């Protein structure tokens, strides 16, 4: 098996040169035959020289004459004036070459419009662009609503992206977006493993792959290919059915995201601990956006319109919190636990029958954005105090949904994008969010109030740092020498040590100890510690400078600026013994 794999040919993209030569094979043969016949005939026909003596053209002179005649340059008759027979043959060759060139040029123009050639040129450019990548990049399969959000967020965070999309019109939209760096994109089917390899799945700079298409089977194929071809890469796959999610899990896919189930977890958390829900939304939102602090979901009877995939998840979420429900659907079921009403949620009669006047909340969860807006508007008119959860299927309709001002708008593409960014960008965020779900409401409210009072409700920058020789060489060396450095001392500005950096540590993980949430500033750091930080703007760059640069770290810890350069450092070390030596007559204390 290993031998067969070793002998298998490596995947190669189509060669543009050989593709063109195959298509131009017949026209080129025709031209070659015409030139050969013309040259051969011109050498056979007799002529006369300047003295009137019979002569014949050599192959060189004949080929030279036919070459510039065929290109309509027209230098004249060489090396002597032609005879009548030669001129008659030249006239025949001229018209014959016109036919050959017309046939060749027509084939060339047809070739330029050939779709296969355009795809081959696009593939070659794409492969060349991917090969030239030297910085870390993510492979994004699918450039729909979720893919656009992911690429936009990655661009803000300074990461590169490579895109595979089946729809050619969506690939064309990439050039219209103002990304800071070029985004190599290819119109192809991401289910093809060879296409994934062309896109950099096995590239040394690829740091992750995301399957975000709207086809669960395509996402499953991408997950399998990623697991087999690049098992070391984190793969994030979207799955909207339990069967596909289970199949992905069987192949060892580490991160499977179902937007409906994920929102069901959020809603369960919101009903159980509203402060934890707001904190989670603040930490996992899209970079550059502002979280609106909505009112908390009330306890009482709710109405769910639509019992599809999303509706069933909502029923399970509320059932886990013992919330009484009334379900409106076209096909009611025999369910003794809940009240069912047959009909459309867009009609006022069905809403009244479901008791909308006494309900505290409603979920408009059908597969149609128009129907969901109609349900929400009608229900809010019948009960202005109603808490409205509105499902938005298409991100392009955000203007309509923003105008309605629902309490919660569920956008599946945003949920998947936020979850992907949280997993890929900050590995420590997942365990911290898990800890949040286990904490009580009072503690979550304290953390939320503390963080938003300092940083506001705009989504902050969340990142991870590890104290090792690669990520924090200056700090790591000092800690290995036995120096005692506290967390509060480290989080000072390298420009002014009396100013604290605009960041805080949310979570600290230590190999031989329990993880710490919101660690105190007097905590002594140890080599190997992992930190989850939240902050603003360029705080991450300032902290990275402190962790890696000995001069910046020494200033933060002692307030002294170390001399720069080898000469000044040598002179500084020579001065220290003299500066520390006691003067004559003085006693050392």
């Amino acid at each position: 098996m290993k031998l067969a794999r070793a002998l298998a040919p490596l995947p190669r993209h189509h060669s543009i040169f050989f593709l063109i030569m195959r298509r131009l094979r017949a026209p080129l043969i025709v031209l070659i035959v015409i030139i050969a016949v013309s040259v051969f005939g011109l050498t056979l026909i007799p002529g006369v020289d300047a003295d009137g003596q019979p002569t014949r053209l050599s192959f060189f002179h004949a080929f030279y004459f036919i070459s510039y005649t065929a290109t309509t340059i027209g230098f004249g008759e060489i090396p002597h004036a032609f005879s009548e027979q030669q001129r008659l043959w030249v006239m025949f060759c001229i018209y014959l070459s016109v036919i050959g060139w017309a046939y060749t040029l027509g084939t060339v123009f047809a070739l330029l419009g050939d779709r296969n050639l355009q795809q081959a040129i696009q593939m070659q450019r794409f492969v060349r662009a991917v090969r030239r990548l030297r910085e870390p990049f993510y492979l994004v399969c699918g450039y729909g609503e979720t893919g656009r959000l992911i690429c936009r967020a990655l661009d803000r965070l300074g990461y590169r992206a490579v895109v595979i999309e089946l729809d050619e019109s969506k690939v064309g939209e990439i050039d219209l977006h103002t990304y800071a760096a070029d985004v190599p994109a290819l119109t192809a089917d991401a289910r093809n493993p060879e296409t994934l390899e062309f896109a950099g799945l096995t590239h040394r700079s690829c740091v992750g792959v995301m399957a975000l298409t709207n086809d669960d089977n395509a996402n499953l194929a991408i997950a399998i290919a990623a697991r087999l071809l690049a098992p070391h890469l984190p793969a994030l796959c979207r799955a909207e059915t339990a069967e596909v999610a289970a199949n992905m899990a069987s192949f060892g896919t580490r991160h499977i995201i179902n937007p409906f189930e994920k929102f069901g977890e959020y809603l369960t958390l919101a009903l159980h601990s509203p402060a934890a829900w707001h904190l989670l939304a603040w930490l996992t939102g899209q970079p550059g956006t502002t979280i609106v602090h909505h009112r908390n979901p009330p306890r009482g009877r709710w109405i769910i319109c639509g019992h599809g995939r999303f509706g069933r998840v909502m029923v399970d979420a509320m059932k886990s919190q013992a919330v009484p429900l009334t379900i409106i659907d076209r096909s009611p079921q025999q369910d003794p636990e809940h009240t069912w009403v047959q009909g459309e949620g867009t009609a006022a009669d069905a809403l009244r029958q479901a008791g909308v006047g006494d309900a505290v909340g409603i979920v408009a969860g059908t597969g149609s954005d128009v129907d969901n807006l109609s349900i929400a508007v009608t229900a809010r008119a019948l009960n202005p105090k109603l808490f409205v959860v509105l499902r938005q299927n298409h991100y392009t309709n955000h203007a309509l949904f923003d105008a309605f001002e629902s309490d919660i708008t569920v956008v599946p593409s945003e949920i998947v994008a936020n979850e992907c960014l949280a997993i890929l960008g900050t590995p420590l965020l997942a365990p911290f969010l898990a800890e949040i779900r286990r904490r009580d409401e009072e503690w979550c409210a304290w953390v939320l109030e503390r963080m938003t009072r300092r940083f506001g409700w705009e989504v902050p920058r969340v990142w991870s740092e590890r104290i090792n020789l690669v990520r924090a060489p200056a700090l790591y060396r000092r800690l290995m020498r036995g120096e005692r450095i506290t967390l509060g001392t480290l989080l000072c500005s390298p420009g002014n040590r009396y100013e604290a950096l605009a960041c805080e540590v949310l979570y600290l993980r230590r190999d031989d100890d329990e993880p710490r949430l919101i660690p105190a500033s007097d905590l002594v750091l140890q080599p190997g510690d992992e930190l989850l930080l939240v902050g603003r703007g360029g705080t991450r760059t300032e902290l990275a400078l402190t962790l890696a640069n000995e001069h910046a770290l020494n200033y933060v810890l002692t307030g002294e600026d170390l001399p720069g350069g080898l000469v000044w450092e040598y002179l500084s070390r020579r001065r220290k013994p003299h500066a520390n030596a006691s003067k004559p007559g003085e006693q050392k204390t």
Side-chain angles (χ1 to χ4, degrees), residues 266 269-270 273-285 291-297 387 407-408 433 436 441 444-445 447-449 452 457 459-460:
Y266 294 162
L269 185 63
S273 178
W277 168 55
H278 285 297
L279 182 59
L280 184 146
W282 182 69
L283 290 173
T284 60
I291 301 298
V292 180
H293 192 182
H294 296 292
R295 56 177 174 152
N296 299 330
F387 189 96
D407 293 284
I408 301 177
L433 297 179
I436 287 178
E441 176 71 4
C444 293
V447 175
L448 179 66
E449 196 276 333
T452 55
W457 281 95
V459 175

Side-chain angles (χ1 to χ4, degrees), residues 53 116 212 277 293 312 407 457 488 513 547 564 576:
Q53 299 297 322
N116 292 330
L212 307 175
W277 168 55
H293 192 182
R312 288 192 292 270
D407 293 284
W457 281 95
D513 202 353
L547 296 175
K576 284 183 180 180

Side-chain angles (χ1 to χ4, degrees), residues 47-246:
V48 293
D49 58 12
D51 300 329
Q53 299 297 322
T55 185
R56 297 178 188 274
L57 290 178
S58 66
F59 277 99
F60 174 75
H61 285 108
F63 179 72
Y64 177 65
F65 178 81
I66 292 297
S67 296
Y68 70 68
T69 302
T71 56
T72 67
I73 298 175
F75 284 145
E77 300 172 350
I78 55 97
H80 309 290
F82 287 171
S83 63
E84 299 297 331
Q85 296 89 340
Q86 287 176 319
R87 290 173 180 169
L88 183 63
W89 177 253
V90 169
M91 291 175 57
F92 171 75
C93 294
I94 289 174
Y95 290 112
L96 188 64
S97 65
V98 169
I99 296 173
W101 280 111
Y103 173 48
T104 302
L105 292 177
T107 306
V108 170
F109 291 142
L111 179 62
L112 293 177
D114 186 79
R115 183 173 180 83
N116 292 330
L117 177 64
Q118 293 176 356
Q119 290 179 346
I121 294 174
Q122 182 186 16
M123 172 68 80
Q124 192 174 70
R125 290 176 179 173
F126 174 77
V127 171
R128 190 181 299 114
V130 172
R131 285 178 178 174
R132 285 198 298 261
L133 289 175
R134 294 296 177 265
E135 59 268 37
F137 68 89
Y138 291 96
L139 176 56
V140 180
C141 302
Y143 194 74
E145 295 178 354
T146 307
R148 283 195 295 271
L149 292 174
I150 286 287
C151 291
R152 194 178 307 160
L154 291 175
D155 188 66
R156 288 199 193 102
L157 296 174
Y159 294 104
R160 298 293 298 272
V162 175
V163 174
I164 302 176
E165 168 57 45
L166 190 60
D167 190 347
E168 187 176 2
S169 62
K170 293 180 180 179
V171 174
E173 295 176 2
I174 295 179
D175 294 333
L176 303 178
H177 297 151
T178 56
Y179 292 118
D182 292 336
V183 179
L186 178 66
T187 303
D189 191 350
R191 289 176 292 188
N192 188 345
E194 190 178 63
T195 301
L196 293 175
E197 289 192 86
F198 290 154
L201 179 63
T202 56
H203 195 287
R204 62 180 178 272
S205 297
C206 184
V207 293
V209 57
M210 287 173 273
L212 307 175
T213 72
N214 56 3
D215 185 353
D216 275 6
N217 292 325
N219 294 336
L220 175 61
I222 297 169
I224 295 173
R227 179 67 178 85
L228 297 177
L229 298 178
H232 62 284
L233 288 182
L236 286 80
C237 303
R238 177 175 182 168
E240 296 186 358
T241 60
E243 295 79 6
V244 173

Side-chain angles (χ1 to χ4, degrees), residues 301-371:
R301 191 171 58 82
W302 282 65
I303 299 175
I304 294 181
C305 299
H307 196 250
R309 288 180 300 173
F310 180 73
R312 288 192 292 270
V313 172
M314 293 300 98
V315 170
D316 294 339
M318 294 187 178
K319 182 180 178 181
S320 65
Q321 298 298 314
V323 175
L325 294 174
T326 299
I327 304 172
I328 301 177
D329 194 73
R330 298 176 182 175
S331 304
Q333 301 178 8
Q334 298 296 328
D335 184 4
E337 297 184 10
H338 309 297
T339 303
W340 287 76
V341 174
Q342 184 176 9
E344 299 282 350
T346 56
D349 293 339
L351 292 173
R352 290 193 184 95
Q353 187 178 353
V356 68
D358 300 328
V360 298
I362 187 171
V363 177
T366 71
S368 170
D369 284 350
V370 175
D371 289 348

